[in-house]
Structure formats: C-alpha cells, structure tokens
Amino acid sequence: MSKGRAQLEALLRLEDETERKLAVAALIDNVVRLARRFRAIVIGGVAVEFWTRGAYSTADIDLYSTRTAVDERLAELGLHPEGRHWVDPEHDLFNRSPGEFSGTGRGSHPRSGFRQVRRALVLSPEDVLVYRLQEFVGTGHREVASQTISLLTSPDIDEQRLRRRADEERLGPALTELGRLADRVAAGDILASHEASRDRIWPTPELLEYECDANH
C-alpha cells in the first residue's frame, strides 16, 4: 500500500462526514501542491456543506484544479475513474473530476477544517452562494434554492461583499427575494415547497436579460 493510500485510509475512518470530506480534499490538495505546485480548491456541495455547518450534505467532493494534476494524484491514492467521478466503492467516496470553472477563484480563502492539523482551501461563502444563485436562475431547481437559503443564514457571510458579487453578475433581484425567504427561516418559519420555486422568484425584467445573456 502506498503512503498516500495509507493516509487516505486513515482519513476515511473519521466519523464526522464533513470533516472526512474536507480532510480528503486537504490530502489531495497537499499531494497536488507538492507535485505540481497547483492548489485543489473545494467548491460545489462540500463547500455548501462546510459553510452551512452540515445543514446540507453531499456524497460528491468537487475540487477545482487542473484536470491532469488532480487525475494523476487520485490514481496514486487508489481511486478509480468512472465517468466524471473518481470513486472508492469500499468507502462510498466520490470525487468529481474537475471541469471548467466559470469563476476566477477570487475570494478563495484557506479555512481550517474541524482540526487545525488538516487545512483545506475552500471557496469563500459569498462566491459559493453566487454560483448557486446562477444555477438557480438557470435551472430553477428547488434543491439549489434550499442550499442558497441555508448559505444566506451562515454567520460567515460578508453581506456587503455578497451584494457586490451578486450585483456584478446581475443577480441582485434573485438574491433579494431569496434573502427574504432566508430571513423567514431564521425567524422560525417553515416554508412551503412552492415558495422557493423560480416561478415565484423569477422572472423580473433584469433577470430575463441575464438569462438571455447566459444562453447566447
């Protein structure tokens, strides 16, 4: 068994699910950085899970890095490619192979995991939320709206930076409407499923213009 595989096996025995995923991401980041001087940034569902303190959970570990750098390291850790994923069926570990990332990485900050000895580079909560907003206005998926609402209640959000980022992407109206729902959730209200639908939050003229731009 290789040293990297032995380290992975040890991390996969961690009981806390979020800690386990972040620890695996930190391991991949470390081996990629040492070998190629690239970083592997936690994005997607695990970033949502981290910033919402586990209110949302995912089986996938999404990382942004160069595909070649990450693929080589994952193979060395004993994972096997299946479509867009690298998997370890024995441990139900699914790492999504990185693809094109629309963001610049701006606002990515190294954040401690649950233990100081393991550190993962996690996309900032504001950028994670903006990308979830983009997905929501593009697809209307209610699960994405639910994740966005959970993120909006995170104490780690820099509200001024979030508003600036949303306005840059012409997502201000969507942020405002979902923010109202987040305020209700924070006050103890239970939302009906239809309240987080795109039909109620969308469209407005500004958002329709954004949608046209996104499709052409």
Side-chain angles (χ1 to χ4, degrees):
M1 180 184 296
S2 69
K3 180 180 177 181
R5 179 64 190 186
Q7 292 175 319
L8 178 62
E9 291 277 359
L11 297 178
L12 291 173
R13 289 194 291 270
L14 293 170
E15 293 185 3
D16 186 280
E17 290 188 11
T18 306
E19 180 181 9
R20 181 167 62 247
K21 295 166 193 170
L22 287 171
V24 170
L27 173 63
I28 295 172
D29 175 49
N30 186 58
V31 296
V32 169
R33 184 176 60 217
L34 291 176
R36 291 294 195 94
R37 297 184 179 179
F38 290 108
R39 300 303 303 269
I41 303 171
V42 178
I43 60 175
V46 175
V48 176
E49 183 172 338
F50 177 65
W51 293 119
T52 61
R53 305 295 196 272
Y56 166 81
S57 182
T58 179
D60 293 332
I61 301 175
D62 293 326
L63 298 173
Y64 169 64
S65 187
T66 62
R67 182 179 297 276
T68 300
V70 173
D71 284 1
E72 290 178 354
R73 299 310 114 189
L74 294 180
E76 291 178 4
L77 292 176
L79 302 181
H80 306 284
E82 289 188 6
R84 297 179 59 220
H85 294 79
W86 285 79
V87 304
D88 185 334
E90 180 182 351
H91 298 281
D92 292 326
L93 175 65
F94 300 88
N95 184 90
R96 188 168 302 176
S97 184
E100 183 179 357
F101 185 56
S102 60
T104 61
R106 178 177 49 192
S108 303
H109 305 297
R111 303 286 179 127
S112 296
F114 291 85
R115 300 182 183 179
Q116 291 293 329
V117 295
R118 280 184 287 273
R119 296 178 69 87
L121 195 65
V122 182
L123 192 68
S124 72
E126 301 83 29
D127 287 304
V128 174
L129 202 152
V130 165
Y131 298 133
R132 281 297 187 255
L133 276 176
Q134 289 174 330
E135 185 176 355
F136 174 68
V137 299
T139 67
H141 291 160
R142 294 181 185 178
E143 175 61 25
V144 176
S146 178
Q147 293 176 32
T148 304
I149 290 169
S150 292
L151 280 165
L152 283 167
T153 64
S154 170
D156 298 293
I157 290 287
D158 181 332
E159 294 187 5
Q160 289 185 342
R161 182 175 186 276
L162 174 61
R163 175 57 64 177
R164 184 172 67 253
R165 287 285 290 113
D167 288 343
E168 288 172 355
E169 301 294 336
R170 287 184 285 178
L171 293 166
L175 175 62
T176 297
E177 292 303 317
L178 287 171
R180 290 172 182 166
L181 296 181
D183 289 340
R184 288 178 51 195
V185 170
D189 286 357
I190 299 176
L191 302 178
S193 61
H194 68 275
E195 293 186 89
S197 69
R198 189 174 60 176
D199 289 342
R200 291 181 64 91
I201 298 171
W202 172 290
T204 67
E206 181 176 354
L207 290 180
L208 278 173
E209 179 183 356
Y210 177 87
E211 184 178 35
C212 290
D213 289 346
N215 291 329
H216 291 83

